[in-house]
């Protein structure tokens, strides 16, 4: 899939701007604050009806404008699409795909997928487990509806169980409800773990390759899915995972009641990231962290391609700074297949 042309009107700092793009690599360069990130943001919006950085649509409308228009000519699934998005101050947005009104952003995702990489994504490596779980969740929710279902069920049960534990001091009878919640958490948790394990296995393979090439064959990136300790084989059967989760929860029952916290379950999962066998989080340089985070996103792109049959559009915001010439050369010349946008100063 690719974006052939874009027409912006009143989008962020753009007045009226028409642009056409190359089907392979597009380098967008300019001074600080010229609108490079705003342009990539517009392409992300075309694919999911959401900005990766704005809190609401109003922020996207030019300061002095009442409305913004975003039109994309997109080629995907061997067909041409025109996606037309209008944002208004104080009125609902309007979106159409080939003239047909789009009720929600799913209609946009049917046409275009993007993978966006921004400097903030260094958190993927540097920050705690929550960021890496979010990465898995966002990607898997897009790819697997059954995962999204299990995740929302898990989150609901988790919140409820947390409340039960918290309120149990005043109302000890609430604890009688726990077995039911624990069972549900183990059941939906087993689904999450099965999907995450498969996702991480594919991610590890693709990311290792990308990182190895980008670093001039000098660095080995190792990703390992980490989940509840008793789960011996996260790629194993749902029944085995369920049993392992239940055993772990059972052994933590007293501790959970004492601490009033959910201590056992898939909500503590993580991906361990090593570069040359050492923790990337603790020991990697800025450039290495950037390479590792970029490799994760490139791997995500491959996984999307396997699921969709075509590469999503890859948007790389400001990746080149901090990379040495060899790594820059990789980003500019070696990311093959699919359309890529790269911004730099
Ligand atoms: P850098 O190289 O520093 O990352 P950039 O080219 O990516 O710069 P953008 O983030 O795209 O810059 O922002 C360009 C300008 O758009 C900024 O000066 C910003 O203040 C401005 N801007 C942001 N939102 C709006 C808006 N709603 N209306 C008008 N201008 C806006
Ligand atoms: Mg920018």
């Amino acid at each position: 899939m690719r974006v052939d042309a874009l027409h912006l009107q009143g989008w962020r700092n753009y007045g009226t701007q028409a642009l056409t793009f190359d089907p392979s690599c597009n380098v967008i360069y300019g001074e600080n604050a010229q609108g490079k990130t705003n342009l990539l943001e517009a392409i992300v919006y075309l694919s999911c009806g959401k900005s990766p950085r704005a809190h609401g649509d109003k922020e996207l409308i030019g300061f002095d404008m009442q409305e913004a228009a975003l039109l994309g000519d997109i080629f995907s699934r061997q067909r041409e699409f025109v996606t037309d998005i209008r944002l208004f101050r104080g009125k609902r947005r309007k979106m159409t795909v080939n003239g047909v009104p789009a009720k929600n952003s799913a209609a946009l995702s049917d046409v275009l997928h993007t993978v966006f990489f921004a400097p903030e994504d260094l958190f993927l490596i540097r920050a705690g487990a929550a960021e890496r779980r979010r990465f898995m969740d966002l990607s898997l929710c897009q790819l697997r509806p059954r995962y999204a279902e299990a995740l929302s069920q898990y989150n609901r049960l988790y919140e409820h169980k947390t409340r039960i534990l918290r309120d149990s001091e005043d109302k000890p009878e609430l604890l009688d409800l726990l077995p039911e919640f624990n069972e549900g958490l183990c059941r939906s948790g087993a689904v999450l773990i099965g999907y995450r394990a498969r996702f991480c296995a594919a991610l590890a393979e693709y990311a290792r390759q990308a990182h190895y090439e980008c670093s001039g064959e000098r660095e080995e990136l190792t990703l390992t899915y980490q989940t509840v300790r008793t789960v011996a084989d996260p790629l194993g059967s749902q029944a085995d995972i369920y049993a392992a989760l239940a055993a772990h929860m059972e052994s933590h029952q007293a501790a959970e009641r004492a601490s009033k916290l959910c201590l056992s379950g898939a909500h503590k999962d993580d991906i361990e990231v090593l570069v040359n066998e050492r923790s990337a989080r603790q020991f990697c340089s800025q450039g290495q962290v950037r390479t590792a985070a970029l490799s994760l996103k490139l791997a995500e792109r491959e996984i999307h391609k396997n699921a969709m049959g075509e590469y999503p559009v890859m948007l790389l915001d400001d990746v080149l700074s901090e990379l040495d010439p060899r790594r820059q050369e990789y980003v500019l010349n070696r990311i093959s297949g699919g359309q890529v946008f790269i911004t730099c100063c």
Side-chain angles (χ1 to χ4, degrees), residues 136-334:
M136 287 193 272
D137 288 345
L138 283 174
S139 216
L140 278 164
C141 282
Q142 270 189 61
L143 293 169
R144 308 276 174 221
R146 193 161 160 249
Y147 183 89
E149 212 176 283
L151 183 66
S152 74
Q153 196 175 6
Y154 188 94
N155 288 339
R156 200 162 31 77
L157 293 167
Y158 171 83
E159 275 167 35
H160 213 127
K161 179 176 169 183
T162 305
R163 256 180 283 138
I164 291 177
L165 288 168
R166 198 191 51 206
D167 298 343
S168 62
E169 196 144 49
D170 299 331
K171 296 184 212 147
E173 71 277 10
L174 282 175
L175 292 174
D176 296 341
L177 298 170
L178 276 188
E180 196 184 315
F181 282 90
N182 286 344
E183 206 231 288
L185 281 167
C186 292
R187 192 142 13 84
S188 47
V191 176
L192 298 184
I193 288 171
Y195 277 112
R196 285 175 181 173
R198 276 166 190 78
F199 177 77
C200 285
L203 196 74
E205 187 46 40
Y206 290 125
R208 189 191 60 79
Q209 186 64 27
H211 193 107
Y212 186 67
E213 286 173 20
C214 185
S215 64
E217 307 187 349
R218 280 189 291 193
E219 291 169 18
E220 201 74 47
L221 175 72
T222 320
L223 303 178
T224 316
Y225 174 51
Q226 292 182 321
T227 185
V228 177
R229 197 173 33 77
T230 50
V231 178
D233 180 13
L235 293 165
S237 76
Q238 290 285 294
D240 287 349
I241 300 174
Y242 175 87
L245 291 177
H248 190 267
M249 213 168 257
E250 175 77 33
S251 70
H252 283 71
Q253 195 179 37
E256 285 192 329
R257 288 178 184 205
S259 66
K260 310 215 179 317
L261 294 169
C262 298
L263 301 176
S264 170
H267 54 279
K268 291 174 161 298
D269 285 2
D270 195 2
I271 307 174
E272 181 191 54
V273 185
L274 304 179
V275 171
N276 290 343
E277 295 176 12
R278 285 185 208 284
S279 159
R281 198 176 159 192
Q282 286 171 285
F283 297 111
C284 273
S285 73
Q286 285 281 99
Q288 284 178 309
V289 167
R290 195 165 282 239
T291 309
L294 173 65
S295 301
L296 281 177
K297 291 280 178 162
L298 288 171
E300 187 187 6
R301 185 177 85 120
E302 297 291 338
I303 292 171
H304 272 259
K305 189 209 166 205
N306 288 344
M308 312 282 301
E310 19 182 359
Y311 275 112
V313 173
M314 182 88 204
L315 304 163
L316 302 173
D317 192 21
D318 216 5
V319 270
L320 296 177
S321 56
E322 285 170 17
L323 294 184
D324 59 32
R326 189 201 303 261
R327 291 177 202 232
Q328 289 187 349
E329 200 266 339
Y330 172 83
V331 172
L332 289 169
N333 299 315
R334 308 274 193 80

Side-chain angles (χ1 to χ4, degrees), residues 36-102:
K36 301 180 295 297
T37 304
N38 292 346
L39 178 62
L40 297 195
E41 185 183 36
I43 298 174
V44 176
Y45 201 98
L46 280 179
S47 72
C48 63
K50 258 200 312 262
S51 153
R53 57 178 185 165
H55 296 294
D57 286 350
K58 308 242 166 355
E59 282 176 45
L60 305 170
I61 303 171
F63 294 142
D64 307 321
M65 313 290 279
Q66 283 311 305
E67 56 179 89
L70 179 58
L71 261 94
D73 292 349
I74 296 160
F75 190 80
S76 101
R77 304 195 313 243
Q78 318 295 332
R79 290 172 54 196
E80 282 168 15
F81 293 91
V82 178
T83 297
D84 183 334
I85 296 171
R86 313 272 161 153
L87 307 178
F88 307 95
R89 288 193 194 281
K91 205 164 77 172
R92 268 178 72 83
R93 68 181 175 187
K94 285 199 182 119
M95 310 192 289
T96 62
V97 175
N98 285 351
V100 179

Side-chain angles (χ1 to χ4, degrees), residues 9-20:
Q9 197 155 17
W11 177 269
R12 295 272 196 191
N13 67 327
Y14 288 92
T16 302
Q17 183 77 52
L19 301 138
T20 54

